[in-house]
Amino acid sequence: KRVQTIAQRLEEKSSIPLITGSYADGIVKRGYKYTFKISPQGGDVWNWMMTSGYELWKEIKGAPPKTALIFQSNDAVGLVVQKLLPVHAKTLGLEVPFSQSFQMGLSDPSVAVAPVLRYKPDMIFLGGFTNDIILIIKALRGVGVKAPIFGAGPAGTDSVGKGLGAASDRYFAPMMWNWDLKTTGNKELLEAYKASHPKDPYPPANEQLGQGYTAAMILRQALEKAASRDPKTLREVLASTEFTNLPMPAGKVKFGPDGLNVYNTPVLAEWLKGELRTVWPKASQAVQPQI
């Protein structure tokens, strides 16, 4: 967070545009004019994911889920989510009989296993760092818990998929980009990635790949429209232009007065047989979900 703040101050002072895919809410709340954010606010992602999981469950099973349990590591983001997500659950009519934060660096997963076995929830919302997530999910699957688990951050990464193996099935993650989206330029992006990174996991579970490519495409379009490399001219183009033919779900990006992309459109992805597949919303669905 401190590094992000310093970077913003430097680019603002130098009048140099910055395009970021960070989820940190504060990035577009500091009044800076040279910062442009293509990803949604992190505080909104968990609410969106809970609503999407609720709708997905209802679509597949014909009736809404009734209960959810929430577990979040006690980092800055986790503590906020653990407090606010139960509030959002009430708007859906979703009962949360148990919501708890846990100490990072777990050695005993019973902090999550025992409540799940007791309450038998329809859905589980789990946030934390990679090692803790792997430990908890493997423990839950090991005792026969088949409830869908929803997470963010590391949930949509190759390292988590590899660490969980078969235990990753029915584990969901919100993504701003995924490899199986049928969006403009995505096929070409994947082909170029595979050719340049032949030893890396494929297909990639890495939304930063699509976000980084999108940022580069936006800069290219901005430079072409500005016909200039002057930073102030580029800033005006970035602030006023709708950028199109991009591989992200909406296919386009436009920045609002605060620098936030007004077309943020996450998708929900699910680990299925070792691959992270897009399953919701239906308009972006690549395969049928398991839930």
Side-chain angles (χ1 to χ4, degrees):
K1 182 178 179 180
R2 184 170 181 270
V3 172
Q4 290 172 344
T5 303
I6 293 172
Q8 278 190 281
R9 288 175 180 171
L10 289 174
E11 53 86 16
E12 193 76 14
K13 183 178 180 180
S14 303
S15 299
I16 297 176
L18 169 70
I19 299 178
T20 179
S22 172
Y23 283 94
D25 289 13
I27 285 177
V28 291
K29 292 182 177 181
R30 296 171 184 145
Y32 293 146
K33 300 298 183 182
Y34 283 81
T35 297
F36 300 92
K37 187 169 181 282
I38 61 175
S39 52
Q41 295 292 73
D44 297 334
V45 169
W46 281 90
N47 288 354
W48 177 88
M49 180 168 56
M50 177 175 275
T51 297
S52 296
Y54 179 93
E55 293 173 346
L56 178 60
W57 179 289
K58 188 175 180 179
E59 171 79 16
I60 298 297
K61 296 182 178 291
K66 296 180 179 179
T67 59
L69 263 60
I70 298 169
F71 302 95
Q72 298 286 327
S73 66
N74 62 346
D75 60 278
V77 175
L79 290 173
V80 172
V81 173
Q82 188 266 328
K83 180 180 179 181
L84 297 181
L85 198 57
V87 177
H88 183 68
K90 289 183 179 179
T91 68
L92 300 171
L94 192 61
E95 182 184 356
V96 181
F98 191 88
S99 176
Q100 180 174 296
S101 61
F102 59 85
Q103 180 66 43
M104 292 180 288
L106 283 178
S107 59
D108 180 5
S110 63
V111 63
V113 174
V116 169
L117 292 177
R118 177 183 177 184
Y119 292 104
K120 298 180 175 58
D122 292 329
M123 310 165 77
I124 299 168
F125 291 85
L126 172 65
F129 292 94
T130 301
N131 290 341
D132 293 335
I133 288 172
I134 292 173
L135 180 66
I136 290 173
I137 292 179
K138 280 190 170 182
L140 289 172
R141 299 310 189 210
V143 295
V145 175
K146 296 182 178 181
I149 300 172
F150 297 83
T157 62
D158 290 313
S159 56
V160 162
K162 181 179 179 180
L164 286 173
S168 67
D169 286 358
R170 297 184 306 283
Y171 184 33
F172 294 79
M175 305 283 283
M176 280 308 298
W177 174 87
N178 201 20
W179 67 274
D180 59 2
L181 290 172
K182 307 300 181 183
T183 47
T184 302
N186 211 25
K187 180 180 178 181
E188 293 77 7
L189 168 58
L190 289 168
E191 289 174 349
Y193 173 78
K194 188 174 183 179
S196 61
H197 296 77
K199 296 183 180 180
D200 288 353
Y202 191 87
N206 182 355
E207 69 179 351
Q208 285 78 24
L209 173 60
Q211 289 178 317
Y213 182 80
T214 295
M217 292 296 291
I218 289 172
L219 283 173
R220 176 180 176 176
Q221 292 182 31
L223 284 165
E224 290 174 346
K225 183 174 181 178
S228 169
R229 296 174 61 183
D230 175 65
K232 293 183 178 180
T233 302
L234 282 175
R235 188 266 166 202
E236 294 306 313
V237 172
L238 287 168
S240 61
T241 303
E242 180 172 291
F243 300 94
T244 58
N245 298 319
L246 302 173
M248 291 173 70
K252 57 186 179 180
V253 166
K254 182 170 177 32
F255 300 109
D258 58 357
L260 181 65
N261 176 17
V262 301
Y263 294 134
N264 276 316
T265 309
V267 294
L268 192 63
E270 178 181 9
W271 285 99
L272 295 168
K273 297 180 179 179
E275 293 184 352
L276 192 60
R277 305 304 308 271
T278 303
V279 296
W280 197 260
K282 293 191 73 173
S284 300
Q285 192 175 81
V287 297
Q288 287 290 327
Q290 295 179 14
I291 195 168

